[in-house]
Amino acid sequence: MRIGFGYDSHVFTDAAKPLMLGGVCIPDAPGLQAHSDGDVLIHAIIDALFGAAALGDIGSHFPDTDERWKGADSGKLLEAAMGEVRAAGYALGNLDVTVICERPKLRPHVEAIRARLAQLLGVAVGQISVKGKTNEKMDDVGAGRGIVVHAVVLLTP
Ligand code: MG
């Protein structure tokens, strides 16, 4: 078995852009600055998957200097990452994600995000955990400037 940890953070943008979290469009907050669709939650998961399999990181597979990934649907990147992990001989045991932000409130969206991630990863919803927290108003995340995500995955043979 292999464990992997992933982290990502993005700042909210003033540009008219939808907020994508875990492959779900969230209507009650601004979008995130990024070369791709800015799905910070999926980016953390991708790094956890590549980390667990010792296959590098999101930047080495999908560089943000590459025009192919401009405005990219991070769901597609997640499917590609899971495909590489499977090709290396692993299956997803479980995934646990913590999202830290003052906005949006995550709880109303958690079940939709779990269902979408399970679909993208080809696993059961019971293998996916998504938890939301605030930063108790501390620092820039606490001031509501952006979103931080931590993800842990376990890969099985
Ligand atoms: Mg990112």
Side-chain angles (χ1 to χ4, degrees):
M1 288 194 291
R2 313 266 304 201
I3 194 165
F5 172 74
Y7 170 93
D8 198 23
S9 61
H10 282 260
V11 174
F12 289 119
T13 176
D14 294 330
K17 184 178 184 182
L19 174 62
M20 294 300 294
L21 273 183
V24 174
C25 183
I26 309 284
D28 29 323
L32 296 165
Q33 270 178 41
H35 185 67
S36 68
D37 64 3
D39 195 324
V40 62
L41 196 158
I42 283 183
H43 297 176
I45 295 172
I46 290 173
D47 257 0
L49 287 169
F50 283 143
L55 286 173
D57 63 21
I58 188 170
S60 60
H61 289 259
F62 313 114
D64 64 8
T65 49
D66 190 329
E67 280 303 304
R68 270 185 304 166
W69 313 123
K70 189 165 163 47
D73 173 356
S74 294
K76 294 254 184 292
L77 305 187
L78 181 60
E79 287 177 318
M82 189 64 221
E84 290 195 43
V85 165
R86 268 197 205 96
Y90 301 107
L92 181 63
N94 72 298
L95 162 68
D96 186 20
V97 180
T98 297
V99 180
I100 307 164
C101 57
E102 304 297 315
R103 56 180 177 151
K105 285 266 171 280
L106 209 70
R107 194 177 303 258
H109 307 290
V110 161
E111 291 312 316
I113 292 171
R114 290 179 69 210
R116 181 64 182 142
L117 292 174
Q119 191 180 39
L120 290 167
L121 291 163
V123 300
V125 175
Q127 290 166 269
I128 310 286
S129 162
V130 175
K131 313 184 302 295
K133 299 188 76 67
T134 73
N135 212 34
E136 295 290 340
K137 305 253 190 292
M138 288 185 290
D139 69 38
D140 281 351
V141 176
R145 290 197 54 222
I147 301 179
V148 160
V149 179
H150 300 262
V152 175
V153 300
L154 191 72
L155 299 182
T156 58

